[in-house]
């Protein structure tokens, strides 16, 4: 890491020295890395740095390297930087504090609180009911905090699979019937009366857990933006449950999410109308992501019986 970036961290944290620690992960398609820096002489033992460096030639694992893809990624890091600089949540939907940012040429740096040091040092590849509900509660708080808030400086429509940003994947789809109504599905979701700010990539891997699993924080806000909150719920549930689990457990988990959401939204909101609308949007939101996968990765495990059944439901509704 360049000395000027280390100096930025020293100034931001009031530290006397910094040591570059382990790389936490490489960013998607080789667009940089996330590293932990160890500090001395201040009240923080460490920070996490998201160091974006745009590659001369991207290495997408699926071969989706296009100018459009590059422009979308560049914009996503600009959005994430703006998010951390200008938006804040509360302790019930915890995110890392942003300590400093900088941008120079083809490099960007976001210096973040180390959530491991803050007590969220667990990651999960599989979850039980307690962890799923902790994440749903986080999302309910998040959606309540930003209900009715305009996504200024963020994606006008959040989520990384939004149709307008994915014309290549739409073109690659073999399912002609779904392809023909993709725009209608997107329009119906976009015309929701009740909008919030969505995380946009609320998969299990982007939640950091406390040792008990009861408390969570979230990271990775590259695709944060406006929209119907149920999009985050659909994507989260699909990221941690296979088709049989979805068939069995989704109804109860949706009930839990809406129970949590009702606790936190302002009392002047017509919650019954909100819940009715977002429940109606569940199948549309699931179908919308299914559309993306069919064009992007037609062999993906998430293209399963449950997803296909919801898509059939939506196609039937659109014919009525």
């Amino acid at each position: 890491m360049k000395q000027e970036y280390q100096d930025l961290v020293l100034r931001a944290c009031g530290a006397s020295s910094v040591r570059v620690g382990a790389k936490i992960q490489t960013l998607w398609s080789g667009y940089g890395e996330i590293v932990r820096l160890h500090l001395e002489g201040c009240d923080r033992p460490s920070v996490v740095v998201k160091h974006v460096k745009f590659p001369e030639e991207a290495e997408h694992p699926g071969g989706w390297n296009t100018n459009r893809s590059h422009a979308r990624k560049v914009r996503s890091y600009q959005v994430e930087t703006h998010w951390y600089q200008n938006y804040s949540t509360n302790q019930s939907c915890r995110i890392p504090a942003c300590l400093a940012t900088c941008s120079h040429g083809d490099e960007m740096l976001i210096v973040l609180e180390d959530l491991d040091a803050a007590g969220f040092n667990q990651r999960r590849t599989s979850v039980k009911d307690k962890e799923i509900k902790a994440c749903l509660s986080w999302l309910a708080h998040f959606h309540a905090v930003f209900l009715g808030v305009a996504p200024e400086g963020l994606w006008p429509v959040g989520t990384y699979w939004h149709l307008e940003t994915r014309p290549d994947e739409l073109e690659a789809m073999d399912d002609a019937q779904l392809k023909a109504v993709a725009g209608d599905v997107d329009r119906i979701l976009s015309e929701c009366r009740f909008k919030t700010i969505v995380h946009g990539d609320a998969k299990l891997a982007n939640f950091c857990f406390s040792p008990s699993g009861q408390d969570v924080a979230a990271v990775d806000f590259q695709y944060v933006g406006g929209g119907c909150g149920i999009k985050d719920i659909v994507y989260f549930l699909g990221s941690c449950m296979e088709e049989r689990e979805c068939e069995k457990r989704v109804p109860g988990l949706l009930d839990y999410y809406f129970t949590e959401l009702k606790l936190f939204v302002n009392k002047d909101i017509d919650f019954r109308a909100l819940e009715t609308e977002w429940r109606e949007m569940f199948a549309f939101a699931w179908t919308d992501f299914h559309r993306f996968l069919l064009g992007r990765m037609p062999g993906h495990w998430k293209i399963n019986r449950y997803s296909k059944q919801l898509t059939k439901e939506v196609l039937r509704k659109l014919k009525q």
Side-chain angles (χ1 to χ4, degrees):
M1 182 177 290
K2 292 178 181 177
Q3 187 60 47
E4 63 189 278
Y5 295 152
Q6 295 187 40
D7 291 342
L8 173 71
V9 173
L10 289 171
R11 289 194 303 273
C13 300
S16 57
S17 68
V18 59
R19 175 173 60 83
V20 180
K23 178 168 73 174
I24 297 171
Q25 70 179 76
T26 299
L27 296 177
W28 190 253
S29 299
Y31 273 65
E33 60 184 12
I34 300 175
V35 296
R36 179 170 281 109
L37 301 185
H38 300 278
L39 308 175
E40 290 187 2
C42 67
D43 58 358
R44 294 183 186 276
S46 55
V47 293
V48 169
V49 173
K50 193 165 190 174
H51 182 193
V52 180
K53 186 171 183 179
F54 304 127
E56 291 182 15
E57 194 167 319
E59 300 174 358
H60 192 283
W64 293 85
N65 299 320
T66 63
N67 289 336
R68 184 182 285 119
S69 172
H70 174 72
R72 186 175 58 245
K73 290 185 181 69
V74 170
R75 177 66 184 140
S76 77
Y77 291 117
Q78 293 169 342
V79 163
E80 184 171 39
T81 299
H82 186 84
W83 161 261
Y84 278 123
Q85 289 173 329
N86 295 280
Y87 290 80
S88 61
T89 62
N90 58 40
Q91 290 299 310
S92 297
C93 46
R94 186 80 152 76
I95 65 173
C98 180
L99 307 174
T101 63
C102 74
S103 179
H104 182 70
D106 63 353
E107 294 187 66
M108 301 169 72
L109 211 73
I110 306 176
V111 182
L112 298 168
E113 170 191 17
D114 186 350
L115 288 174
D116 277 18
F120 300 93
N121 63 347
Q122 303 289 308
R123 308 295 179 268
R124 299 281 195 269
T125 54
S126 62
V127 279
K128 296 181 180 176
D129 195 62
K130 176 174 63 176
E131 289 97 345
I132 290 175
K133 287 183 174 177
C135 294
L136 290 175
S137 182
W138 188 99
L139 288 166
H141 276 92
F142 187 81
H143 295 153
V145 167
F146 294 107
L147 193 64
V149 174
E152 294 179 9
L154 310 177
W155 292 97
V157 179
T159 72
Y160 71 82
W161 59 91
H162 177 224
L163 181 64
E164 187 179 320
T165 66
R166 297 291 185 168
D168 297 332
E169 289 82 357
L170 182 66
E171 182 60 31
M173 277 180 65
D174 288 331
D175 187 328
Q177 194 177 10
L178 181 53
K179 194 176 193 175
V181 300
D184 294 324
V185 172
D186 178 66
R187 175 182 52 78
I188 288 166
L189 287 166
S190 296
E191 289 178 354
C192 272
R193 172 187 168 194
F194 295 98
K195 291 189 177 72
T196 185
I197 289 177
V198 296
H199 179 285
D201 192 6
K203 61 188 175 188
L204 179 60
N206 283 333
F207 286 95
C208 307
F209 293 82
S210 65
S212 71
Q214 290 183 313
D215 298 306
V216 294
V219 296
D220 195 351
F221 289 89
Q222 287 173 234
Y223 292 94
V224 64
C228 175
I230 207 71
K231 290 181 181 182
D232 277 338
I233 305 306
V234 159
Y235 186 60
F236 171 70
L237 293 176
S239 77
C240 58
M241 295 193 297
E242 295 185 358
E243 59 183 346
R244 286 185 182 177
E245 278 189 288
C246 286
E247 289 165 355
K248 181 180 175 182
R249 301 178 64 191
V250 161
L253 292 171
L254 277 181
D255 289 346
Y256 179 80
Y257 166 74
F258 283 112
T259 299
E260 290 287 286
L261 185 63
K262 187 176 183 179
L263 292 174
F264 310 125
V265 297
N266 290 335
K267 301 309 173 192
D268 58 347
I269 297 292
D270 184 349
F271 186 78
R272 181 176 292 181
L274 183 156
E275 181 175 356
T276 298
E277 180 183 65
W278 284 13
R279 281 185 181 273
E280 287 175 355
M281 290 301 102
F282 178 81
F284 285 89
W286 200 291
T287 299
D288 189 48
F289 183 66
H290 184 66
R291 174 266 311 160
F292 166 73
L293 279 184
L294 285 175
R296 182 73 162 199
M297 292 171 278
H300 199 283
W301 66 270
K302 290 183 186 178
I303 300 173
N304 54 39
R305 186 179 65 240
Y306 185 76
S307 296
K308 290 173 182 175
Q309 185 57 43
L310 286 173
T311 299
K312 282 181 184 176
E313 236 179 79
V314 167
L315 290 171
R316 276 198 303 270
K317 286 179 181 177
L318 291 173
K319 283 181 179 178
Q320 291 172 356

